[in-house]
């Protein structure tokens, strides 16, 4: 089948819905929703998020050199969508949603107690790419609600039950069922040369 | 609920399953599966992928300054898993899976005809972060199979039907149903201050 050209679209799928937590100069906690981001290094463990300069969080991150990234349960989709629309310049998003700010004990940034999973990051570099600036943070700790662990004490993706964002379609989607074990289901091809 | 510390884990969810296509020095096409990556800039449209220096694709990317990123349908999970286990140094992964290499008409890199969605990228920068090097590419075009478009000609995420990877659990998961419209479902919170 011949492919159709769409022009240069930003269209990786699925795209995560990341809750970026920062403090402003006055110490007001803020959360901003970011879809452009993910893991970028295994050791040291690092993640990246991209923000526009115009956002309130951009300056917070530049000043405090720290941020958190929360992963949200699908029942928190409406709050997460709001965190991506409102600006911390004008409102206190924690007050508006009733979410509870918690100060990280490791980095100078807050997260919401209601997020099932949180990574606390120290900013290690940032690069201006154009409309967005990519911020890379070293993950100092990853914290999880105990009810999201499986029987062996490992994070259970289906208990965290995250949702995702589709660029272009501008829709949120749930996650589905387990399909198979990574580094395993492709094993039959290993015998072929 | 008090959170439990897991130590610094790389655990964004969902994590995409990206098919990174490159040519080696001799012109042999290769595909490597990468979970550390995503969109990092809206304008110019850019995406990032992180690779270990030890991989075959690392050198290919350094030499050719170009790569493609394919998104795969869940029916292609076994091939995608294989692309993440085998090394192009030892095998021809296209031959092993029967997938068809296509030379991008815009950048010096190949993709598989079987991938429903592909982004063709020109390398614009790379940074060594430790175990991984982050590569940032400008997306020159995004190509899609026409049967993955909806009635209005837009990419339909449920027709592309991608799957995702959960770090730590090391499992693949399917995507679920549409949950709601982004920049919309959070609207009720906008009235609150």
């Amino acid at each position: 089948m011949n492919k159709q050209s769409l022009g240069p679209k930003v269209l990786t799928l699925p795209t995560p819905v990341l809750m970026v937590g920062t403090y402003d100069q006055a110490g007001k906690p803020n959360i901003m929703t970011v879809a452009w981001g993910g893991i970028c290094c295994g050791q040291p463990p690092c993640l990246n998020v991209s923000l526009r300069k115009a956002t309130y969080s951009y300056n917070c991150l530049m000043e405090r050199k720290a941020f958190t990234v929360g992963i949200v349960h699908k029942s928190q989709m409406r709050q997460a969508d709001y965190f991506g629309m409102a600006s911390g310049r004008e409102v206190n998003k924690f007050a508006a949603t009733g979410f509870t700010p918690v100060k990280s004990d490791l980095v100078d940034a807050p997260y919401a107690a209601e997020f099932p999973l949180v990574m606390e990051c120290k900013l290690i570099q940032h690069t201006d790419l154009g409309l967005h600036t990519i911020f890379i943070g070293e993950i100092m700790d990853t914290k999880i609600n105990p009810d999201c662990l499986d029987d062996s004490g490992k994070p259970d993706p289906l208990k965290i039950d995250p949702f995702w964002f589709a660029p272009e379609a501008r829709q949120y989607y749930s996650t589905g069922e387990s399909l198979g074990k990574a580094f395993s289901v492709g094993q039959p091809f290993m015998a072929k040369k």
Side-chain angles (χ1 to χ4, degrees), chain A:
Chain A
M1 190 183 313
N2 281 328
K3 287 190 164 43
Q4 183 171 325
S5 166
L6 298 171
K9 299 283 186 192
V10 289
L11 191 52
T12 58
L13 295 170
T15 301
V17 180
L18 306 174
M19 304 288 107
V20 176
T22 52
Y23 284 122
D24 72 4
Q25 264 188 312
K28 185 178 82 172
N30 192 40
I31 299 285
M32 179 190 171
T33 303
V34 167
W36 305 159
I39 300 302
C40 60
C41 190
Q43 193 54 44
C46 292
L47 61 74
N48 61 288
V49 292
S50 287
L51 277 71
R52 287 178 298 113
K53 282 188 203 72
T55 62
Y56 193 61
S57 298
Y58 177 94
N59 290 320
C60 298
L61 222 159
M62 284 297 216
E63 278 168 21
R64 300 282 183 140
K65 312 287 186 208
F67 61 104
T68 65
V69 170
I71 303 294
V72 269
H73 185 272
K74 68 180 175 194
S75 65
Q76 301 168 326
M77 175 183 65
R78 289 171 194 282
Q79 289 91 339
D81 189 52
Y82 164 75
F83 290 141
M85 289 193 290
S87 171
R89 202 171 278 124
E90 288 142 27
V91 291
N92 183 322
K93 301 190 204 176
F94 280 95
T97 52
F99 275 10
T100 315
V102 176
K103 185 176 171 27
S104 161
D105 53 0
L106 293 170
V107 303
D108 189 15
Y111 57 85
E114 288 76 8
F115 296 159
L117 178 67
V118 175
M119 282 152 279
E120 298 155 282
C121 303
K122 190 178 66 178
L123 181 64
I124 58 170
Q125 56 174 267
H126 63 274
T127 306
D128 181 3
L129 294 174
L131 181 61
H132 288 84
T133 297
I134 183 169
F135 291 92
I136 296 179
E138 181 178 343
I139 302 169
M140 308 311 290
D141 194 19
T142 299
K143 292 186 167 75
I144 193 166
N145 283 356
D147 64 359
C148 291
L149 297 170
D150 66 17
D151 293 342
S152 67
K154 281 197 145 189
D156 185 336
L158 295 181
K159 290 181 177 177
I160 298 164
D161 206 2
F163 60 102
W164 56 278
F165 171 67
E168 293 296 306
R170 295 164 68 94
Q171 288 272 336
Y172 298 118
Y173 293 86
S174 69
T175 58
E177 77 280 9
S178 173
L179 292 176
K181 216 169 154 45
F183 311 105
S184 171
V185 293
Q187 202 67 43
F189 291 104
M190 294 297 275
K192 301 181 184 180
K193 292 290 168 189

